[in-house]
Amino acid sequence: MFPYTLLVVILFAAQVYANYTVSFQSLSPGSPITSVVSGLTTHKLSKGLCKEGFSGARYCILYSYTFDARGISILALEEKHEYLWQRLALWASNPYLAHMPSSAMSRPSFAEVDVLGKGKGLAALRVIFPGEIVLAERPLILIDAQLKSEYSPQDIISLRRELSASLPQESHEYFMQLSGWHEHADPVDSRFDSNSFNINLGGEDTFHGLFPAVARLNHDCRPNLEYNWSEDTATMTLHAARRIEKDEELTISYVRGDFSSHQRQSRLKSTWGFDCACSLCSLPSYLQEESDNRLVILNDSLRMLDSNRLLPADKPAIAERLVHLVEMERLYTLLPESYAYAARAYAEIEDKHTALKYTTLAIEHGLRILGAEWKSWRELVELEEKLLKPNGRT
Ligand SMILES: *[C@@H]1O[C@H](CO)[C@@H](O)[C@H](O)[C@H]1NC(C)=O
Ligand SMILES: *[C@@H]1O[C@H](CO)[C@@H](O)[C@H](O)[C@H]1NC(C)=O
Ligand SMILES: *[C@@H]1O[C@H](CO)[C@@H](O)[C@H](O)[C@H]1NC(C)=O
């Protein structure tokens, strides 16, 4: 993920992905406890060891050498041990391949490449269509975010080192080849910090999750991939936010799309240590200023449409403006909801023809880009049905 790495990569992400089982089958499993998950398959999971922490709070490391054929290691406070152990047993009994579309497995759509000025990255091997799932994977490492409130930064480094050492050899090597920023920082620590996502596992608690192939994706402020975390299956799914051309680099955004250029650049520098050189940051400053201005108006439009203070007659123009700004700013994930605002606004003034146009656009884009869990989907289908009724009123 870090752009300046010059490290030699032995395992190509595409191989890790397409040949998951092949690449990691020769693992030497050390001495994990082999346990039988009730009524399910046998898996080598280790309930791990719970220890007295440096400051007194007890922590545990749970691991499996066989999970998704490359292992998983989890570091958490002791109070979460039983819960995590149960989750891990559940995930392990449910092969991750079950969450992958078979077409993506038989025909990977990307490969690892050298990207000028950014070190390693992933690039499309063929045209990828909007909404296509490009990659889905489960974490290699999970760390309880609450540890930060119990231990000093120095203790955390030691804990993370202990955790990474509990990974199978090949996975540990792969992890160490990921990039981390700051030459002087602890190598294990910086790799976690540069490559992890904040996720929930079904409860309130936040965890930092590291996903090995996802960690190879570089940043773009206007990315072509969106990611989607599922707590139920513990899977991070990446899908195309727009059409991606063959050989185009695959990217995700490390920061919010509606950040101003200053916010974006300072966050990327402070968290990942690089000067933003994405498609947007590389524009001349007057164009970046224009983009910032559009984002301010975009934010305002959203705020106005969400408030109940607009007259129905004023809503369509504001919704149209929102759609237009979102398109200009290439913020594709906001597009479905923007179309939905326009659909509702036109329905309210009983312009059925235009309302129907936007309802259809919203549903089509929403399902492709946001999936079946998109919250506005059902509502829009109902609206569409109402609009289609011969003398239906909205
Ligand atoms: C998967 O493994 C096979 C056999 O080792 C190899 O020929 C093939 O190129 C690999 N596929 C990818 C996508 O790396
Ligand atoms: C838009 O709103 C978001 C969320 O409130 C905020 O973080 C961001 O700074 C705003 N963008 C601009 C350009 O003002
Ligand atoms: C996001 O994840 C959820 C839960 O797994 C899934 O139902 C949905 O289809 C996903 N969305 C996309 C666009 O992949």
Side-chain angles (χ1 to χ4, degrees), residues 51-160:
K51 297 178 188 169
E52 207 66 50
F54 301 82
S55 64
R58 287 172 64 85
Y59 70 92
C60 308
I61 291 179
L62 295 80
Y63 59 91
S64 159
Y65 279 117
T66 52
F67 186 77
D68 284 355
R70 52 163 168 68
I72 185 171
S73 291
I74 307 177
L75 169 66
L77 289 174
E78 188 177 35
E79 65 213 50
K80 292 168 198 161
H81 182 243
E82 197 51 42
Y83 166 74
L84 287 170
W85 165 242
Q86 283 169 12
R87 297 291 292 183
L88 182 56
L90 188 70
W91 299 331
S93 68
N94 188 0
Y96 101 110
L97 292 185
H99 312 299
M100 283 298 298
S102 56
S103 60
M105 285 311 291
S106 56
R107 207 171 150 235
S109 53
F110 65 87
E112 187 160 295
V113 292
D114 290 304
V115 184
L116 195 64
K118 293 192 193 173
K120 296 289 176 186
L122 304 181
L125 288 171
R126 57 170 171 82
V127 170
I128 301 175
F129 294 96
E132 237 188 275
I133 293 182
V134 175
L135 168 63
E137 67 177 353
R138 302 199 290 191
L140 177 65
I141 294 169
L142 283 174
I143 299 182
D144 183 355
Q146 210 190 331
L147 289 163
K148 282 208 162 134
S149 60
E150 298 285 341
Y151 298 111
S152 70
Q154 211 47 47
D155 291 348
I156 299 257
I157 292 178
S158 310
L159 289 175
R160 286 174 167 188

Side-chain angles (χ1 to χ4, degrees), residues 133 228 230 233 237 239 367-373:
I133 293 182
N228 182 16
S230 161
T233 60
T237 307
H239 55 270
L367 291 183
R368 277 196 193 202
I369 299 176
L370 305 172
E373 287 183 3

